[in-house]
Amino acid sequence: MDFSLFCFAHDGADGTRQMPYNLLLEGARFADRHGFAAVWTPERHLHPFGGIHPNPALTGAAVAAVTDRVEIRAGSVVGPLRDPIRIAEEWAVVDNLSEGRTALSFGPGWPGPDFVLPPEDYSQRREALLRTINAVRRLWRQETFELADGTAQPAAKRIHPAPVRPEVPVWLMSAGSTETCRTAGRLGAGLLTHLLCQNLEELAEKISIYRESYTGTEAPRVALMLPTFLGQDRETVRETVRVPFLRTKAGLLLQAPGDLLPGMDPDNLDPEDLDFVVEQAFDRYFETGGLFGHVEDAARMLDRVAEIGVDEVACMIDLDVESGSVLAGLDRLATLKDTWQTSRAAAG
């Protein structure tokens, strides 16, 4: 099982964050030195959680400039919001800057209130996503497209610069939809997912469906996003991440279609009841949804996700905790990665 870093930051509009991209760049340098597989950055618009990443090609170019080895991945391009030509052009630049180290995860967009560019496409976002993926793949291969210019005269065009990689590795983002997992398999794409809307038992079933549907020529790949913060003891870590979780994740929890808030409509809850529900969600998420605590605590979680068929853990390190504390914890994460991989290899 591989390990990668994922930055999905809160913008710190309340004054809690200074130099919001410092952790991304320092984390990328660390990942490059310590044998991590990749660095992911998302696309999010007009929202404090993730909104400092409106275009992962921009952050990907920054990562390319400070690394030599790690793969640079979008996690994820919101396909229905973007012109496929722009996606292919921008990422071809990143591919050249990184000498062929790019990969793209695509997603359809998540809650309706986030889908502002353009709102009229929200109802057809999944169909639009598949069209975008197909077009980006063709553009990446340097296929020509018949495009009309400003005078309505059609001409055969291809993107510039030509990418270094002959094929762009593609992933599909799933928040827990069985059909999305099946579609990822049919596309021959990797599967990127998380535990915000599903538990490990449900994910195990979906991984099986994904692998049964897989048509690609390379081995199927499942990457699981796990919030990650390691320290000297579990209770100290719990208190460190609790307030940032409640500040930055609560809004996502209330929009999630999954089971962290089962059967509840947050609009119908009193503020006190809502606070209690979110606290309960945090407790559950801390125990079963991330790499938290000491190295030994996190190793047990790794054993569980490996058993259900996860190929890569995408460690979400940007939890709106003070950057120095996160960077200090990366040494523990590297120790976890190395010792866990060594023990699994020794076990055969």
Side-chain angles (χ1 to χ4, degrees):
M1 193 163 65
D2 289 330
F3 292 73
S4 56
L5 297 188
F6 204 124
C7 283
F8 202 135
H10 191 271
D11 72 357
D14 56 1
T16 61
R17 179 176 293 276
Q18 301 294 324
M19 297 188 298
Y21 302 103
N22 181 61
L23 180 57
L24 168 64
L25 298 179
E26 290 302 317
R29 292 184 179 101
F30 184 93
D32 208 50
R33 295 193 305 267
H34 289 84
F36 287 77
V39 174
W40 307 75
T41 54
E43 176 180 346
R44 195 95 196 274
H45 301 280
L46 304 175
H47 195 284
F49 186 67
I52 66 169
H53 298 292
N55 185 344
L58 293 175
T59 47
V63 171
V66 299
T67 59
D68 298 307
R69 190 195 56 79
V70 292
E71 196 164 72
I72 301 162
R73 298 180 187 158
S76 299
V77 173
V78 183
L81 303 187
R82 308 288 300 282
D83 186 308
I85 296 175
R86 294 296 302 273
I87 296 171
E89 285 178 336
E90 292 166 1
W91 280 94
V93 172
V94 180
D95 202 51
N96 277 268
L97 289 171
S98 64
E99 299 181 333
R101 292 186 282 128
T102 59
L104 302 179
S105 175
F106 289 86
W110 196 20
D114 286 3
F115 210 94
V116 295
L117 304 169
E120 64 271 13
D121 287 346
Y122 182 68
S123 63
Q124 303 297 318
R125 63 194 183 281
R126 300 190 186 281
E127 295 82 356
L129 173 63
L130 295 179
R131 292 194 298 270
T132 297
I133 293 173
N134 179 61
V136 170
R137 280 175 154 172
R138 292 176 59 197
L139 288 160
W140 196 274
R141 298 181 190 122
Q142 291 288 277
E143 294 184 24
T144 58
F145 275 55
E146 287 289 330
L147 301 169
D149 62 18
T151 63
Q153 298 300 311
K157 301 288 186 181
R158 63 167 55 95
I159 65 163
H160 300 277
V164 175
R165 298 188 104 157
E167 293 279 348
V168 60
V170 167
W171 301 69
L172 196 61
M173 175 67 200
S174 171
S177 163
T178 299
E179 187 55 36
T180 302
C181 296
R182 186 176 288 112
T183 299
R186 290 170 177 166
L187 289 173
L191 178 66
L192 174 65
T193 189
H194 54 70
L195 295 176
L196 190 62
C197 307
Q198 59 191 335
N199 58 40
L200 286 175
E201 291 73 21
E202 293 166 337
L203 176 58
E205 297 176 4
K206 293 163 188 173
I207 290 175
S208 295
I209 291 170
Y210 162 69
R211 295 187 186 280
E212 290 168 2
S213 306
Y214 190 76
T215 63
T217 56
E218 304 292 331
R221 298 284 298 171
V222 178
L224 177 62
M225 301 159 60
L226 289 179
T228 300
F229 189 82
L230 302 179
Q232 294 186 352
D233 68 87
R234 192 168 180 82
E235 287 309 310
T236 299
V237 169
R238 178 190 290 271
E239 289 308 306
T240 300
V241 303
R242 176 180 167 275
V243 171
F245 176 92
L246 298 179
R247 179 169 56 233
T248 64
K249 294 289 195 303
L252 296 182
L253 287 171
L254 301 182
Q255 299 172 41
D259 63 353
L260 279 177
L261 303 176
M264 298 181 185
D265 183 353
D267 292 334
N268 293 330
L269 294 176
D270 293 331
E272 295 81 3
D273 294 333
L274 183 58
D275 289 343
F276 173 78
V277 167
V278 173
E279 287 273 7
Q280 293 296 306
F282 167 71
D283 290 339
R284 180 178 176 187
Y285 201 56
F286 185 86
E287 295 298 331
T288 64
L291 298 179
F292 296 121
H294 198 268
V295 168
E296 287 78 6
D297 299 321
R300 289 190 286 272
M301 183 64 176
L302 293 178
D303 291 338
R304 296 182 66 192
V305 301
E307 287 169 4
I308 67 170
V310 171
D311 302 294
E312 177 178 322
V313 173
C315 302
M316 300 180 69
I317 62 170
D318 201 333
L319 303 179
D320 200 21
V321 176
E322 189 271 323
S323 294
S325 298
V326 176
L327 291 171
L330 290 183
D331 286 326
R332 294 187 179 91
L333 178 57
T335 297
L336 170 67
K337 175 182 71 69
D338 294 341
T339 56
W340 189 88
Q341 289 177 330
T342 298
S343 66
R344 297 289 286 200

